[in-house]
Amino acid sequence: MIFESILIERIIIVAITQTWPPIYLSIFTYKLLKRAKNRSTITLSTFFLMIATAYLIAFFSMLLINSPFAYSFYITSWYFFMYSHSFIILFSLLLLQIEENISYMKFFMFIVLNGLILASVCCICIYYNGIQYDMSTGWRPLFSLPFAIINWIYVIFFLVIPEFIMGFKLLKIFDGAKIVIRIKLFLLSTLLEYAVIILVILYNTLPDNHAYRSIHVFIGPVLGTLAAYFIYRSFGKKIE
């Protein structure tokens, strides 16, 4: 009975927190591509679509519990979730080099390199059992501390620090222009998004009886929605 109640609670939480994001993320994507179809809008739209895909795959992993596919689906969803954020960095890079027009070779090399880095992290996770996701955990993901640390290192050194550097360069380049307001909003919203990732990792690492887990169920989805919305609003209306 205890296991059943935990499982039902898990299903309800997943249904609430992971079915709503694909809806609003798809709306943001549609509005972006409707206004313009260039590398900037496509890159930002890819970010939204990949997160939406991650949530959907995670939701399906719950539908496949007690099957050999549940674990593979969750690992895949985590990969898409982490990989999606490299497109924010790529979007910032496109803005920074808007006059030089970054080459397609560098564009695709950046995408491939980040994909390979995260694929390596997922392989390490599988080999060293970095994520537990089975009946013993009540079908909720439980990260090992080493795996959590690896993910935090990736977020800080491959997302937060590069975003800070590029954000301040953009502010310096466009100092005095009207677009500075949008750049500031974009920088703050992306940092909020990275904070959400850090908190999600913490949520998946802590045991069930930890107080923060109960708090995160309420604040996590709200922060994630606000971060995505302000990222969209910062450059959603018009991207040069």
Side-chain angles (χ1 to χ4, degrees), residues 157-174:
F157 288 96
F158 287 85
L159 298 178
V160 176
I161 293 177
E163 191 64 58
F164 256 116
I165 293 172
M166 288 189 289
F168 284 113
K169 283 185 177 180
L170 284 168
L171 290 174
K172 185 176 180 180
I173 291 172
F174 294 100

Side-chain angles (χ1 to χ4, degrees), residues 10-116:
R10 169 72 180 155
I11 292 173
I12 292 173
I13 291 173
V14 169
I16 294 173
T17 61
Q18 295 184 356
T19 55
W20 163 239
I23 296 173
Y24 67 74
L25 292 169
S26 298
I27 293 172
F28 294 161
T29 301
Y30 170 75
K31 289 186 175 182
L32 277 170
L33 295 178
K34 185 180 179 181
R35 290 182 180 125
K37 292 183 179 66
N38 51 48
R39 279 196 291 180
S40 296
T41 54
I42 291 173
T43 300
L44 199 55
S45 297
T46 302
F47 160 67
F48 289 133
L49 281 179
M50 289 195 73
I51 292 187
T53 302
Y55 279 113
L56 287 174
I57 296 174
F59 177 73
F60 284 124
S61 73
M62 281 300 301
L63 300 180
L64 294 170
I65 58 174
N66 295 320
S67 78
F69 302 104
Y71 183 81
S72 298
F73 267 63
Y74 184 79
I75 294 294
T76 303
S77 72
W78 185 252
Y79 175 81
F80 272 86
F81 180 71
M82 294 297 288
Y83 188 31
S84 65
H85 293 84
S86 63
F87 286 87
I88 296 183
I89 300 297
L90 182 56
F91 178 76
S92 298
L93 187 62
L94 289 172
L95 291 177
L96 192 60
Q97 299 188 9
I98 193 168
E99 293 183 355
E100 297 177 13
N101 196 16
I102 183 172
S103 69
Y104 281 96
M105 178 62 72
K106 290 182 180 179
F107 185 84
F108 288 113
M109 283 294 291
F110 180 91
I111 295 173
V112 172
L113 181 61
N114 274 274
L116 291 175

Side-chain angles (χ1 to χ4, degrees), residues 79-225:
Y79 175 81
F80 272 86
F81 180 71
M82 294 297 288
Y83 188 31
S84 65
H85 293 84
S86 63
F87 286 87
I88 296 183
I89 300 297
L90 182 56
F91 178 76
S92 298
L93 187 62
L94 289 172
L95 291 177
L96 192 60
Q97 299 188 9
I98 193 168
E99 293 183 355
E100 297 177 13
N101 196 16
I102 183 172
S103 69
Y104 281 96
M105 178 62 72
K106 290 182 180 179
F107 185 84
F108 288 113
M109 283 294 291
F110 180 91
I111 295 173
V112 172
L113 181 61
N114 274 274
L116 291 175
I117 291 172
L118 283 168
S120 300
V121 171
C122 285
C123 288
I124 293 172
C125 155
I126 295 171
Y127 187 80
Y128 290 102
N129 198 27
I131 297 178
Q132 285 183 274
Y133 184 70
D134 51 33
M135 188 180 295
S136 66
T137 64
W139 292 106
R140 80 162 182 85
L142 182 62
F143 291 3
S144 67
L145 184 58
F147 181 69
I149 292 173
I150 289 173
N151 278 272
W152 280 325
I153 289 173
Y154 175 83
V155 172
I156 292 171
F157 288 96
F158 287 85
L159 298 178
V160 176
I161 293 177
E163 191 64 58
F164 256 116
I165 293 172
M166 288 189 289
F168 284 113
K169 283 185 177 180
L170 284 168
L171 290 174
K172 185 176 180 180
I173 291 172
F174 294 100
D175 185 31
K178 291 182 179 180
I179 197 174
V180 167
I181 297 175
R182 292 193 176 191
I183 294 172
K184 288 180 179 178
L185 179 59
F186 179 73
L187 180 59
L188 290 174
S189 57
T190 52
L191 293 178
L192 177 60
E193 177 66 23
Y194 300 148
V196 169
I197 306 175
I198 292 172
L199 293 176
V200 169
I201 296 169
L202 179 63
Y203 173 83
N204 287 335
T205 307
L206 294 173
D208 277 323
N209 59 355
H210 200 284
Y212 172 73
R213 286 186 54 81
S214 300
I215 298 173
H216 181 89
V217 170
F218 296 99
I219 66 170
V222 175
L223 293 178
T225 302

Side-chain angles (χ1 to χ4, degrees), residues 222-235:
V222 175
L223 293 178
T225 302
L226 288 175
Y229 174 72
F230 287 123
I231 288 173
Y232 164 75
R233 285 293 299 174
S234 60
F235 288 100

